[in-house]
């Protein structure tokens, strides 16, 4: 069903080259060098940034908006950390609530039976799995989503294709820049709650709620 590899009105924050290097420059991670994200892949929308976000969800909750292609990590005081994401067909077919019982650094990836059937020449060499690394489609980290104690096969993960971020892609779940999935992985705790919005809910949380009129 799913693959394992799977805000208007905001002012543009001032950024320096040093800040960009800290966020998206090349970085060493457990003996692997994660390449810098090309400037052309970043754009203004895809940069990780703290934004206004209005929700009743508790801080630490992840909210995925597959149709706006943003992921929000809820913070306190009507704020959230926003990440640009790429969304595959499987990512657009999943909605509702889940939890993250565990997460992995440099995860192993195995193609699904559907992938093997669709393109055996491409995926057959990896039938028994691919070890974690820079060529692995899950990237540097993966968060595994479960519902009712069962694996949904839905993943939030890194990518070896930074130019896909901010776009709808043909396959996979929810992917982030490797630098961003490392950041998210460090912030999120096992057991964290996840909510994936439907198309009708897209954009929810990005507009302040209408204030109720004062009673006489």
């Amino acid at each position: 069903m799913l693959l394992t590899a799977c805000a208007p009105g905001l002012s543009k924050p001032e950024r320096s080259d040093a800040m960009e290097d800290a966020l998206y420059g090349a970085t060493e991670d457990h003996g692997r060098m994660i390449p810098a994200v090309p400037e052309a892949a970043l754009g203004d929308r895809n940069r990780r940034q703290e934004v206004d976000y209005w929700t009743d969800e508790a801080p630490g909750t992840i909210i995925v908006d597959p149709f706006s292609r943003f992921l929000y990590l809820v913070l306190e005081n009507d704020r959230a950390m926003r990440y640009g994401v790429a969304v595959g067909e499987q990512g657009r077919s999943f909605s509702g609530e889940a939890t993250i019982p565990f997460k992995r650094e440099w995860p192993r990836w195995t193609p699904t039976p559907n992938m093997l059937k669709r393109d055996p020449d491409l995926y057959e060499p990896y039938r028994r799995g691919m070890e974690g690394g820079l060529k692995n489609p899950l990237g540097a980290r993966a968060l595994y989503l479960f519902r009712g104690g069962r694996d949904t096969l839905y993943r939030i993960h890194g990518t070896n294709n930074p130019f896909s971020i901010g776009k709808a892609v043909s396959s996979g779940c929810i992917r982030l820049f490797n630098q961003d999935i490392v950041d998210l992985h460090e912030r999120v705790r096992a057991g964290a709650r996840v909510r994936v919005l439907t198309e009708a809910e897209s954009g929810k949380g990005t507009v302040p709620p209408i204030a109720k009129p004062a009673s006489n």
Side-chain angles (χ1 to χ4, degrees), residues 44-122:
D44 291 334
R45 78 171 306 281
N46 290 335
R47 288 178 170 86
R48 180 197 330 158
Q49 56 189 284
E50 188 175 323
V51 299
D52 291 328
Y53 196 77
W54 295 270
T55 179
D56 293 330
E57 300 290 350
T61 302
I62 291 175
I63 299 178
V64 181
D65 188 336
F67 300 93
S68 292
R69 293 185 289 281
F70 287 121
L71 180 151
Y72 299 89
L73 176 64
V74 178
L75 306 176
E76 296 181 344
N77 302 317
D78 296 327
R79 301 285 284 175
M81 188 64 69
R82 191 186 74 182
Y83 304 82
V85 301
V87 183
E89 181 180 354
Q90 292 72 27
R92 296 189 294 274
S93 67
F94 181 96
S95 63
E97 299 180 2
T99 58
I100 300 172
F102 59 88
K103 49 190 183 174
R104 293 286 184 268
E105 299 182 0
W106 296 103
R108 182 180 176 85
W109 170 75
T110 302
T112 65
N114 284 342
M115 296 170 75
L116 290 165
K117 181 179 180 180
R118 184 175 69 245
D119 196 338
D121 291 340
L122 179 61

Side-chain angles (χ1 to χ4, degrees), residues 13 20 23 33 54 56 167 199:
E20 290 299 332
L23 290 178
M33 184 59 68
W54 295 270
D56 293 330
K167 300 176 182 178
E199 187 170 8

Side-chain angles (χ1 to χ4, degrees), residues 4-6 137-138 141-142 155-159 173-176 181:
T4 54
C6 61
L138 287 180
R141 304 286 190 274
R155 310 287 186 252
I156 299 171
H157 60 88
T159 183
C173 295
I174 300 295
R175 67 182 79 159
L176 293 76
I181 193 62

Side-chain angles (χ1 to χ4, degrees), residues 104-164:
R104 293 286 184 268
E105 299 182 0
W106 296 103
R108 182 180 176 85
W109 170 75
T110 302
T112 65
N114 284 342
M115 296 170 75
L116 290 165
K117 181 179 180 180
R118 184 175 69 245
D119 196 338
D121 291 340
L122 179 61
Y123 294 115
E124 185 62 35
Y126 309 109
R127 174 181 289 274
R128 298 185 181 277
M130 177 190 291
E131 294 299 323
L134 292 173
K135 294 183 179 181
N136 188 303
L138 287 180
R141 304 286 190 274
L143 311 180
Y144 296 76
L145 275 63
F146 280 58
R147 178 185 285 167
R150 300 184 64 180
D151 189 355
T152 65
L153 302 183
Y154 190 91
R155 310 287 186 252
I156 299 171
H157 60 88
T159 183
N160 53 21
N161 180 11
F163 286 97
S164 67

Side-chain angles (χ1 to χ4, degrees), residues 143-213:
L143 311 180
Y144 296 76
L145 275 63
F146 280 58
R147 178 185 285 167
R150 300 184 64 180
D151 189 355
T152 65
L153 302 183
Y154 190 91
R155 310 287 186 252
I156 299 171
H157 60 88
T159 183
N160 53 21
N161 180 11
F163 286 97
S164 67
I165 300 301
K167 300 176 182 178
V169 292
S170 60
S171 63
C173 295
I174 300 295
R175 67 182 79 159
L176 293 76
F177 293 125
N178 276 324
Q179 284 84 346
D180 280 351
I181 193 62
V182 169
D183 180 80
L184 182 64
H185 178 273
E186 292 176 351
R187 295 173 185 266
V188 171
R189 299 292 177 260
R193 185 167 175 266
V194 179
R195 183 177 177 191
V196 182
L197 303 181
T198 65
E199 187 170 8
E201 295 173 314
S202 183
K204 187 175 182 179
T206 62
V207 178
I210 299 174
K212 296 181 179 179

